[in-house]
Every structure is written in structure tokens, then in C-alpha cells.
Amino acid sequence: VGAAVGTGAGVLIGKKMDKVKAEAEAVQNAQVQEVTDANGLQAVKVTFDSGILFATNQATLNASAKNSLTNFANVLKNNTGCDVAIYGHTDSTGSDAINNPLSVSRANSVSNFLKSCGVSSAQIKTVKGQGSTNPVADNSSAAGRAQNRRVEVYMYASQDMIKAAEAGTLK
């Protein structure tokens, strides 16, 4: 995913993604940052607070998570030129046989809820689980494990956004 973009188009896309980042920052219980992913693509990464999303060994969204995701769905609907990738994560409690499908279930819970809020399924390009392979905190403490039970959502410039930027029609 991703293509070479001319300098002028790259500046336009950068400005648009700054706007997307600012909108996402207004969502309660979400941490937002600009990142370069493993493929070298620029993205806006949104991580939802772990305690809000999932209890240990669960993939069911609680009321607080649904409220945050409803607000985030509006960001996605306002920015349909962004492609979306959703990654579920677990702590290290349990085996890979438990954690890998659980992380997929968490990513699917978020994806399905966003779609129920009106986000186009065509906009959501990737829904994957990462199991416990990508911790952001120490799994030896309860607080660290809670931080690792998370879902990360990446928003990228879609091919349509890139084409609009290159044509000078990106709004």
C-alpha cells in the first residue's frame, strides 16, 4: 500500500493528515500520534486506553469504550479519504493459542462497532491480531498488562487522497 508522491502532493497530504490528527485528538480516551509504520508509510496512530477497551481475556467492548469509539467513528466518517488498519493486542497472560485469537477478536470488536456507527467497510482495509508480540509496557505488573490489552488504529492516506493531492483537488 502506498505510492511515490510528488513534493507538492506530499505537502497537501501532510496538511490533510494534520487535520485528521487534530480531529482524532479530540476523542476522549485516545492517544494520538504521527508515526511511520513498518512499511515506511506515514500514518496517524490512535491507541485507545486499555482499561476502557478490554478486561483480561475479554473482547467485549464496555460502555465507555463504545462512547469513545462512537466519537472516533465520526472522525473516520469525516475523513473518508483515509484508509484504516486495526490491530488488536493482548498482555502476556496465557499462551499464544489463547492470545492470538483473542487479539483478532479485539480487533474485530472495534472494526464491527465502527461499522455499526456508519464507517464504511471499504475504508477498513486491515483487521489483525498481534497477540502478545508487541507489548508497550512491562507484562510483569498489572498496570503494564492493562496497557498491553489494547487496540491500535492507523489512518493512512488512501490512493484516492493521493490522486486528489496530485491533481490539486484535495480539500
Side-chain angles (χ1 to χ4, degrees):
V1 186
V5 177
T7 303
V11 169
L12 290 173
I13 290 169
K15 287 180 180 178
K16 176 66 175 176
M17 294 306 286
D18 286 346
K19 177 182 168 282
V20 169
K21 180 179 181 248
E23 282 185 49
E25 287 173 335
V27 175
Q28 188 175 1
N29 302 317
Q31 297 175 358
V32 182
Q33 62 191 120
E34 289 181 51
V35 297
T36 301
D37 77 359
N39 298 316
L41 299 174
Q42 294 298 309
V44 173
K45 175 184 167 186
V46 181
T47 305
F48 292 93
D49 290 353
S50 57
I52 299 216
L53 286 179
F54 305 106
T56 302
N57 205 27
Q58 298 295 312
T60 304
L61 296 167
N62 64 31
S64 181
K66 288 179 180 179
N67 185 50
S68 295
L69 289 170
T70 297
N71 294 332
F72 182 64
N74 291 327
V75 173
L76 295 178
K77 291 187 290 187
N78 291 339
N79 296 285
T80 57
C82 290
D83 287 344
V84 177
I86 301 171
Y87 296 97
H89 299 271
T90 67
D91 61 31
S92 64
T93 304
S95 66
D96 286 347
I98 293 168
N99 287 334
N100 292 341
L102 178 59
S103 66
V104 172
S105 294
R106 288 176 174 170
N108 281 324
S109 289
V110 170
S111 174
N112 292 336
F113 188 81
L114 291 172
K115 288 186 241 179
S116 78
C117 292
V119 174
S120 168
S121 58
Q123 193 174 0
I124 300 173
K125 302 295 186 187
T126 303
V127 180
K128 291 186 176 176
Q130 302 290 307
S132 62
T133 61
N134 218 349
V136 294
D138 187 351
N139 274 302
S140 67
S141 72
R145 287 189 298 276
Q147 289 178 54
N148 290 329
R149 293 190 302 272
R150 71 195 187 282
V151 168
E152 297 172 341
V153 180
Y154 292 81
M155 297 180 290
Y156 299 91
S158 68
Q159 289 301 315
D160 289 343
M161 185 189 290
I162 293 168
K163 288 177 186 171
E166 290 172 342
T169 60
L170 182 64
K171 296 179 183 174

